[in-house]
Structures are given as C-alpha cells and as structure tokens.
Amino acid sequence: MAKPVAVTAREKEVLAGLVENMGYEVMPFKSVKDRVVAEVPTEVPLTITATGGKGLEPTLDAAFFLREQGYTVAPHIPARLVGGPEELDRLISRIEAADVDRIFIVAGDAEEPAGEFHDAMDLLTALEDRGHSFATIGVGGYPEGHASFPQADIDSALRRKAPYADRILTQICFSADAVVDWAERIKADGVDLPIYAGMPGPVSRQKLARVSAGLGLGQSASFLAKQQNMVWKFFSPSGYKPTKLIRGLVRKLAEGEADTALTGFHVFTFNDLAATEAWRRDLIAQAS
C-alpha cells in the first residue's frame, strides 16, 4: 500500500490548503479543448503553454475556448514572441475582450526575439506602461536555478519582476528540500508573492518520451529537453507520481519552521488529464 501523503491532522490541513490551490498546465494541441471539458472540472485553474515554434494563436484559441466553457485560464505570453508595444496592445486587447483576467509572462524559448522584448521584465514594464485589467499576472521561479544563467542573475531578475506580478509558478523540481529552501531564501530577500510549486503530474514514461522528443510545447517540453538525464532518474518503468515530493512539502510546512509563501501546486500535466484529475481527487480524499 502506498504511504499516505498526510498523516497528522496538521499535515492534512496543510495538504488541503495546497490542493485547494492546485492548477494544471496544458499544451494547446488540437484535441486538448475537448479533453479538458470532458476530464477537468471548471474549478481547476489552467495555464496554456506557448512556444516559438507554434506561435501564440494555438495558445489564445485554447484559452478563449476554455474561458467560454467556464474555466479560469492564464495563457502563457512569451516576451520574445511579441514584436513591440503596438503588437502587445493588440494582443492584450484581444485577451481582455475574451474575459480572460490572468496571464503568465515568460521570456520564451525563441532563439531570436520578434522585436524589442528580450525577456519577461521587458514585457512586464511595457504592460504596466500600457495599462491592463488583469487580476493576476504570473512569473516563473527556479528553485534549482537555470542552466543558462548564474544564480545571482536569476535572483536579481525575480526581485525586479516581483512588483509587477501577483504569483510565482516554479519550474519542475523533484526535491522538497530544494523548493522549501528556495522559497525561504526569496522571501528573506523581499519577494513574498504566493508560490505555486511546479511538478509533473502522474504521467507514463511513454508520454514523457514523446513530449521530450519535441512533440510538446512551452515550459514542459523545454524543461525535459534540457534536463532529460536528471528527469529519468525519478521515473519508474510504470511512470511517475509526485507523491514523495508532496509528502516532503506537506511535512516540512506542517512542522511550522519554514517561513515561505508556498501556496499551492502547479502541475505540468503533459495533457495526461484523466490520470492527473484522478490523482487530484485522491489527494482531496487524503486531506479530508
């Protein structure tokens, strides 16, 4: 029998709070709209990925459709895909007109920027200058650093982005210690935005292999492409479940010694939605 994620009353309380603030990242393949409607309740907030190879239209199309179905959605807006202030104005006008009040801003994986926006900070400041009606703006966090940038640069960028943002969605991390230590450090550094710990949902090795071979979009695929050797260490032949990671986070937070703004989970579904939703419901049961 699998070990329970939460044992004590305090651990169950912590787990309940984290699961209540769980969101799914989905990739805008053609089939995803119908699959989300069939397999995910509208109470689960969604982020919709984007990539330089496909452009923003698949992301916006999925986001607008799912918003019409009653979902809370946040399209990824990669700065390097936006040509400049005029294109940004048109883009934000479309998003606002579709009654979408959340976005997630990243630098993006395009090798060459489409215009003057090179990173997330460039887009955040341009968006502030334009004005907007978004209730929530998300930015990325890196508990285990980034292979392309020194840690000091990552820390500095997060401090500069924080005043323009409302929450942090982290990259995939498999270590509860790394997540909590990083969350404590950035809060001590003055960044106290709510943090949603990024993790893969339940997913098969076959699905991971397809995505990491280049069939996926956005953060999920980019992470796997760069970190495959590390990723596979955490996957059994039958697949992966983030149970051990969540158990570690719950126990650390239940101890009450960690001073963090950890608020919820950001689940990279790889569009394995039925398995992810069944797992979420099991977590809810464990917290009850």
Side-chain angles (χ1 to χ4, degrees), residues 44-130:
V44 179
L46 307 170
T47 61
I48 318 295
T49 64
T51 185
K54 299 290 185 180
L56 279 171
E57 284 308 312
T59 301
L60 298 178
D61 177 61
F64 297 165
F65 173 84
L66 292 169
R67 181 70 192 101
E68 289 179 352
Q69 308 310 307
Y71 291 89
T72 299
V73 297
H76 285 209
I77 307 298
R80 298 170 74 86
L81 292 187
V82 182
E86 292 185 359
E87 184 178 342
L88 177 65
D89 179 58
R90 292 192 296 270
L91 174 64
I92 299 305
S93 295
R94 289 179 63 194
I95 296 172
E96 291 176 329
D99 193 34
V100 171
D101 67 354
R102 294 186 176 196
I103 56 171
F104 180 60
I105 292 180
V106 293
D109 55 12
E111 290 188 10
E112 294 294 331
E116 62 191 74
F117 303 138
H118 290 251
D119 55 30
M121 190 66 208
D122 288 343
L123 196 64
L124 286 165
T125 54
L127 181 61
E128 181 77 7
D129 291 341
R130 174 197 180 273

Side-chain angles (χ1 to χ4, degrees), residues 12-266:
K12 291 181 179 182
E13 181 184 4
V14 169
L15 177 62
L18 293 170
V19 174
E20 185 179 353
N21 291 291
M22 177 186 288
Y24 294 169
E25 179 180 296
V26 300
M27 300 175 287
F29 296 155
K30 290 182 179 179
S31 64
V32 76
K33 294 184 288 187
D34 291 338
R35 290 183 58 195
V36 168
V37 171
E39 298 167 357
V40 180
T42 56
E43 68 201 53
V44 179
L46 307 170
T47 61
I48 318 295
T49 64
T51 185
K54 299 290 185 180
L56 279 171
E57 284 308 312
T59 301
L60 298 178
D61 177 61
F64 297 165
F65 173 84
L66 292 169
R67 181 70 192 101
E68 289 179 352
Q69 308 310 307
Y71 291 89
T72 299
V73 297
H76 285 209
I77 307 298
R80 298 170 74 86
L81 292 187
V82 182
E86 292 185 359
E87 184 178 342
L88 177 65
D89 179 58
R90 292 192 296 270
L91 174 64
I92 299 305
S93 295
R94 289 179 63 194
I95 296 172
E96 291 176 329
D99 193 34
V100 171
D101 67 354
R102 294 186 176 196
I103 56 171
F104 180 60
I105 292 180
V106 293
D109 55 12
E111 290 188 10
E112 294 294 331
E116 62 191 74
F117 303 138
H118 290 251
D119 55 30
M121 190 66 208
D122 288 343
L123 196 64
L124 286 165
T125 54
L127 181 61
E128 181 77 7
D129 291 341
R130 174 197 180 273
H132 62 83
S133 61
F134 296 118
T136 302
I137 297 176
V139 294
Y142 298 87
E144 294 184 304
H146 191 292
S148 302
F149 304 99
Q151 188 62 51
D153 291 352
I154 297 172
D155 292 347
S156 174
L158 185 58
R159 286 195 301 270
R160 288 185 288 112
K161 289 185 291 186
Y164 299 89
D166 303 283
R167 61 176 179 156
I168 298 170
L169 309 181
T170 84
Q171 258 295 6
I172 290 173
C173 184
F174 294 97
S175 166
D177 287 340
V179 172
V180 172
D181 290 349
W182 170 82
E184 286 188 304
R185 183 168 58 78
I186 67 165
K187 187 171 184 181
D189 205 23
V191 178
D192 60 356
L193 297 175
I195 296 168
Y196 295 76
M199 62 190 68
V203 63
S204 68
R205 287 182 65 98
Q206 291 81 3
K207 175 63 70 71
L208 262 293
R210 290 198 297 273
V211 174
S212 63
L215 298 181
L217 298 168
Q219 280 191 304
S220 305
S222 297
F223 177 86
L224 290 170
K226 296 172 184 174
Q227 306 289 345
Q228 283 186 57
N229 291 336
M230 183 272 286
V231 167
W232 294 119
K233 293 192 298 183
F234 294 88
F235 285 76
S236 69
S238 60
Y240 174 80
K241 286 187 177 181
T243 305
K244 182 178 179 181
L245 170 61
I246 291 179
R247 187 165 64 242
L249 290 171
V250 165
R251 290 179 179 176
K252 282 184 167 294
L253 296 178
E255 290 169 358
E257 297 179 2
D259 184 16
T260 78
L262 282 164
T263 300
F265 301 140
H266 177 61

